Amino acid sequence: MDVDLTPKVSKSVYGGDGGSYFSWSPSDLPMLKEGNIGASKIALQKNGLAMPSYSDSAKVAYILQGKGIVGIYLYEAEMEKVVSIKEGDAMALPFAGEFTEFALTGANGLFTGFTTEFVKELVGSQKGIGIIKVKDGFKMLEPKEEDLKGMVMNCLEAPLDIDIKNGGRVVLLNSKSLPLVKDVGLGADLVRIDAGSMCSPGFSCDSAYQVTYIVRGSGRAQIVVKAGNLFIVPSFFTVSKIADGEGMEWFSIITPPNPEVLQASFNVSPEAEQHFRSKRLNAEIFFSAP
């Protein structure tokens, strides 16, 4: 398989006065298809409202800037949570775990039992697509402080997992720091390196893919990257990153590892595989500029 690390910017899918929805396409980033991964970005203007939607996959979301309110319905818990979010917040959004198929039309269709006039009003009254702008004074449900627990973690305020003076800093998003991550099945981290610093060469020692979004700054990761770029590093591919004069910050999401692949590759026991992988996880080292 040819490895293409070329960074890509997102493309606008739809939008209006309330904001825009952007995504990265597998046709532009073939590694998305290889890793069975999706990536998207929502930019809301003042009073912008992203209309309710259903996702058939688990997600990890990161707030790049601004603040707002998010309502989330957890299917398995049969409850809605309303939380305030701000820059630096990371959220774990689990998938319900059960695929449901339903008919839109016919004798058992979704709209059976409603009058034709009501259905026309229901589907025709909202002219917006995906994101709309609401009027001043529009009220959402009040966020609850207790809903934040276990669902949202602010990576800019969390204790540092790695801190190298004049080099870089790392905050890890895992089941210990954010319990819902266990249900999502994805890991993540926020990395910030200083001007001219280098993140030592590293690789995924299992079958995981690393999806990296450049939040701020610019630098090199075998290729030149800058804010807004997204690139994907497949398993067992070594990559290092060097910041330019303004430093660089990135947020990475790591797909579920498959330790059996490493066990089979080296023909070792699960204990030996875990020992090897733990050494690699602790090997994130930064070198400051000379």
Side-chain angles (χ1 to χ4, degrees), residues 90-92 148-153 172-182:
M91 303 179 64
L148 286 171
K149 187 176 181 180
M151 175 166 282
V152 178
M153 183 185 85
L172 297 175
L173 194 70
N174 51 36
S175 57
K176 182 179 179 181
S177 58
L178 193 61
L180 265 181
V181 167
K182 182 178 180 181

Side-chain angles (χ1 to χ4, degrees), residues 38-243:
S40 62
K41 181 169 64 174
I42 296 176
L44 295 179
Q45 303 297 327
K46 180 183 178 182
N47 290 341
L49 172 69
M51 290 189 284
S53 61
Y54 171 80
S55 176
D56 60 357
S57 63
K59 297 179 180 180
V60 170
Y62 182 73
I63 312 304
L64 297 171
Q65 63 182 41
K67 58 183 179 180
I69 298 174
V70 174
I72 304 158
Y73 183 78
L74 299 176
Y75 177 80
E76 291 186 341
E78 295 186 345
M79 67 171 63
E80 182 182 42
K81 292 197 173 187
V82 181
V83 297
S84 294
I85 53 173
K86 61 182 179 180
E87 179 181 350
D89 279 347
M91 303 179 64
L93 305 173
F95 173 50
E98 178 180 334
F99 179 78
T100 302
E101 182 176 304
F102 55 87
L104 292 176
T105 60
N108 63 337
L110 178 66
F111 298 119
T112 301
F114 297 104
T115 65
T116 303
E117 290 73 19
F118 178 80
V119 173
K120 285 183 178 179
E121 181 180 356
L122 179 67
V123 300
S125 59
Q126 178 54 264
K127 304 299 182 183
I129 301 176
I131 297 174
I132 60 174
K133 188 169 186 176
V134 297
K135 297 178 180 179
D136 288 334
F138 175 81
K139 294 291 185 181
M140 283 190 67
L141 293 175
E142 288 295 323
K144 299 177 181 178
E145 191 68 27
E146 59 267 27
D147 285 348
L148 286 171
K149 187 176 181 180
M151 175 166 282
V152 178
M153 183 185 85
N154 191 278
C155 297
L156 301 179
E157 300 173 355
L160 298 173
D161 293 283
I162 298 175
D163 185 8
I164 305 298
K165 186 178 180 180
N166 299 322
R169 294 151 297 283
V170 179
V171 172
L172 297 175
L173 194 70
N174 51 36
S175 57
K176 182 179 179 181
S177 58
L178 193 61
L180 265 181
V181 167
K182 182 178 180 181
D183 297 330
V184 170
L186 299 169
D189 56 34
L190 177 69
V191 182
R192 289 165 284 173
I193 60 176
D194 298 326
S197 295
M198 173 182 176
C199 178
S200 64
F203 65 91
S204 167
C205 56
D206 43 42
S207 60
Y209 283 72
Q210 180 173 299
V211 183
T212 298
Y213 179 83
I214 306 301
V215 178
R216 291 181 183 82
S218 60
R220 287 159 287 159
Q222 268 90 332
I223 29 75
V224 176
V225 292
K226 59 183 180 180
N229 282 163
L230 183 101
F231 66 96
I232 300 172
V233 180
S235 55
F236 298 106
F237 189 88
T238 303
V239 64
S240 63
K241 306 176 185 73
I242 303 175

